[in-house]
């Protein structure tokens, strides 16, 4: 394996300085991730990394809800206790602006497997000409549906959100709700789901994101129409308590015959349609999420691995990342976990991987590709302030869902909070 070295080490060696061996300097690497199939699978392979490199990997996998506080304390406190950090693409620009991440451009250029990483997800981490992280997954939004329920009602799979409302009204019962959707507030929670509806109706977060006009535009007729659809689906056709559902509750509801439809990320969808994980997988189909007057806009989420500026062992961190996204490692995780969202391209050519996900559902990998083709990179805006903006919008959307404020008031409040966060008084 081609090892990675820092510029400082190379320069010092050239000057004839005497240094201990690299492994003696980087005996351990501390990795902090939040829980998902890939990260859980990576943790299970930690001993293999040590066998391959002689470096011990201390991999800590924590809940996404506590991850932000955990890493913020480290970053703002200047602690060197994290060498590799889970880096969602929607967080990276804020972290760069705050000086919390170090560039990885030279490391990526030296990675033997860099060409194996899909260009789109890799380029999502290029800011101002520098690589700031290496992707390990790209998930997309899909819809699952119970074919047996639709057949019994004589209905087809809905193509639009308006059709979804009609189908939901026809199939919803006290024993089995029509649909499950994330509703709990957060830029990675309801703000992963609601924009699929919002963008289908022509709504946007800003006046002209692509043109550089970041004037908040969440309070619009298009977004109001979308929000009313979202509220109706959750309050009229979802299980009791769905106003506080997150992905775990949606998954459990689908696996336990409590809902007929789910609109979720591919990681959750893969579990809903996996016959080893759900007794209803055999009667569950996969489709693109519904569209609207402005078409379809499947959610997209890219996650990667970065190196904090304060990392004590950046060389060991780079070697860990190189190993973590390698074909061999990702193939093992794709086979061991419900993880079809890999961004290491050659994994998709592995016959065992192909067979596994064909057994999960014959349409799964093809539908994932279609969703990624339709998705827009700035589905959730790629700006430093997005985590705060997404949280603010998500809280107001959730308040409307739970009847704490009207949809109109929720969008007005969300837009004002966006303006406050951006300093637009």
């Amino acid at each position: 394996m081609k090892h990675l070295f820092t510029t400082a080490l190379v320069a010092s060696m050239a000057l004839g300085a005497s240094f201990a061996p690299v492994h003696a300097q980087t005996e351990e690497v501390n990795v902090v991730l939040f829980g998902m199939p890939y990260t859980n699978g990576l943790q299970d392979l930690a001993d293999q990394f040590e066998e391959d490199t002689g470096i011990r990997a201390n991999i800590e996998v924590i809940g996404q809800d506590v991850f932000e506080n955990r890493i913020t304390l480290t970053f703002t406190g200047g602690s060197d206790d994290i060498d590799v950090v889970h880096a969602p693409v929607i967080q990276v620009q804020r972290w760069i602006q705050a000086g919390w991440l170090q560039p990885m451009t030279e490391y990526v250029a030296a990675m033997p497997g860099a060409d194996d990483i899909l260009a789109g997800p890799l380029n999502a981490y290029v800011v101002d000409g520098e690589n700031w992280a290496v992707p390990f997954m790209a998930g997309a939004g899909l819809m699952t549906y119970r074919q047996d329920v639709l057949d019994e009602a004589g209905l087809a799979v809905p193509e639009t959100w308006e059709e979804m409302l009609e189908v939901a009204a026809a199939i919803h019962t006290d024993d089995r709700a029509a649909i499950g959707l994330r509703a709990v507030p957060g830029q990675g929670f309801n703000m992963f789901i609601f924009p699929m509806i919002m963008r289908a109706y022509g709504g946007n977060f800003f006046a002209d994101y692509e043109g550089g006009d970041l004037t908040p535009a969440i309070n619009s007729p298009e977004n109001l129409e979308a929000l009313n659809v979202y509220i109706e689906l959750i309050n009229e056709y979802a299980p009791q308590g769905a106003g506080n559902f997150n992905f775990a509750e949606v998954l459990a509801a689908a696996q336990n015959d409590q809902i007929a439809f789910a609109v979720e990320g591919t990681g959750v969808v893969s579990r809903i349609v996996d016959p080893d994980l759900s007794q209803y997988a055999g009667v569950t189909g996969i489709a693109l999420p519904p569209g609207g007057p402005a078409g379809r806009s499947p959610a997209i989420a890219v996650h990667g691995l970065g190196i904090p500026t304060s990392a004590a062992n950046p060389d060991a961190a780079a070697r860990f990342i190189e190993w973590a996204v390698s074909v061999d490692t990702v193939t093992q995780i794709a086979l061991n976990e419900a993880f079809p969202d890999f961004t290491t391209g050659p994994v998709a050519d592995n016959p065992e991987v192909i067979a596994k996900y064909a057994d999960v559902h014959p349409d799964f990998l093809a539908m994932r590709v279609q969703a990624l083709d339709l998705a827009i990179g700035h589905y959730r805006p790629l700006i430093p302030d997005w985590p705060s903006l997404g949280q603010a919008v998500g809280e107001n959307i959730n308040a409307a869902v739970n009847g704490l404020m009207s949809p109109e008031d929720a969008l007005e409040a969300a837009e004002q909070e966006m303006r406050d966060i951006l300093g637009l008084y």
Side-chain angles (χ1 to χ4, degrees):
M1 179 181 287
K2 182 177 179 181
H3 299 329
L4 306 179
F5 301 89
T6 62
T7 302
L9 178 60
V10 173
S12 298
M13 290 177 67
L15 292 171
S18 176
F19 286 89
V22 173
H23 286 175
Q25 294 176 336
T26 58
E27 293 178 349
E28 295 189 354
V29 58
N30 297 318
V31 183
V32 176
L33 313 167
F34 61 77
M36 55 175 49
Y38 170 86
T39 58
N40 294 328
L42 196 64
Q43 187 177 47
D44 291 340
L45 298 177
D47 289 345
Q48 184 174 306
F49 175 70
E50 186 170 2
E51 291 172 7
D52 291 348
T53 66
I55 303 170
R56 178 179 177 81
N58 303 311
I59 303 177
E60 183 181 1
V61 179
I62 58 181
Q64 186 175 356
D65 54 344
V66 299
F67 172 81
E68 180 77 11
N69 288 337
R70 168 73 172 83
I71 58 97
T72 299
L73 286 172
T74 290
F75 291 165
T76 57
S79 173
D80 63 356
D81 63 339
I82 301 178
D83 298 303
V84 176
V85 65
H86 190 145
V89 74
I90 56 174
Q91 295 275 15
V92 163
Q93 293 210 20
R94 180 172 71 94
W95 293 357
I96 294 169
Q97 186 181 64
W100 291 348
L101 283 182
Q102 62 175 274
M104 291 189 62
T105 308
E106 292 185 9
Y107 286 129
V108 171
M111 282 178 59
D115 290 343
D116 293 329
I117 308 299
L118 298 178
L122 183 61
N123 289 337
Y125 288 105
V126 175
V127 179
D128 296 330
E130 297 274 13
N131 290 89
W132 296 90
V134 178
F136 61 77
M137 70 153 281
L142 289 174
M143 179 171 69
T144 64
Y145 59 91
R146 286 282 295 275
Q147 187 64 61
D148 58 330
V149 174
L150 292 179
D151 288 346
E152 184 178 348
L155 296 169
V157 178
E159 295 288 334
T160 67
W161 290 104
E162 284 298 321
E163 290 178 8
M164 172 63 82
L165 288 171
E166 295 171 4
V167 171
I171 65 172
H172 182 79
T173 68
D174 291 339
D175 295 326
R176 183 196 299 116
I179 192 168
L181 297 168
R182 298 185 200 183
V184 68
Q187 53 85 16
F189 303 139
N190 60 355
M191 284 297 98
F192 181 76
I193 299 298
F194 176 68
M196 281 191 268
I197 310 175
M198 182 186 90
R199 293 191 182 280
Y201 281 89
N204 291 289
F205 290 101
F206 299 106
D208 185 6
Y209 176 90
E210 292 181 317
D213 184 352
L214 299 186
T215 303
I218 194 73
N219 188 17
S220 70
E222 295 82 3
N223 288 337
L224 179 60
E225 188 173 8
L227 179 54
N228 282 323
V229 170
Y230 185 55
I231 291 171
E232 184 174 354
L233 286 172
I234 293 174
N235 288 334
E236 300 295 330
Y237 305 119
Q240 187 173 5
N244 290 303
F245 268 27
N246 206 343
F247 52 83
E249 289 76 22
V250 174
L251 173 61
Q255 291 174 325
N256 295 320
D257 193 28
Q258 295 175 334
I259 55 175
F261 284 87
V263 178
E264 258 299 342
T266 40
V268 174
V269 167
S270 69
R271 299 184 189 187
I272 294 174
V273 299
D274 188 336
D276 291 335
L277 301 175
S278 174
Q279 61 179 311
Y280 304 100
V283 290
T284 300
I286 302 176
L288 293 170
R296 299 183 202 264
S297 184
I300 184 171
V302 180
H303 292 252
L305 301 171
I307 304 175
T309 304
S310 58
N313 298 315
D315 293 325
R319 291 189 66 188
F320 178 85
I321 293 172
E322 177 184 306
W323 169 82
V325 300
S326 68
V327 173
D328 288 346
T329 300
V330 177
T331 297
Q332 290 184 71
I333 297 173
L335 292 173
N336 294 341
E337 306 284 338
F339 178 61
D341 292 331
F342 42 83
T343 53
T344 302
V347 177
D349 298 325
N350 183 285
E352 290 183 84
V353 173
I354 294 170
K356 172 183 175 175
Y357 290 101
D359 286 344
V360 167
H361 195 285
D363 297 332
F364 183 78
L365 291 180
M367 293 304 302
R368 175 183 178 249
V369 170
Q370 287 188 45
L372 287 172
D373 283 344
L374 286 170
I376 57 173
H378 59 88
Y379 170 79
R380 288 174 291 182
L382 301 176
I383 59 175
D385 291 309
W386 169 249
S388 297
L389 294 168
Q391 187 66 35
V393 176
E395 288 174 353
N396 284 288
I397 295 297
N398 180 262
V401 167
N402 286 294
L404 302 177
M405 56 198 314
S406 70
E408 293 82 0
D409 288 346
L411 292 179
E412 182 179 355
E415 182 159 312
Q416 184 57 55
E417 289 185 40
M418 290 179 71
R419 296 182 70 87
D420 292 344
I421 291 168
L422 295 171
L424 302 175
Y425 304 109

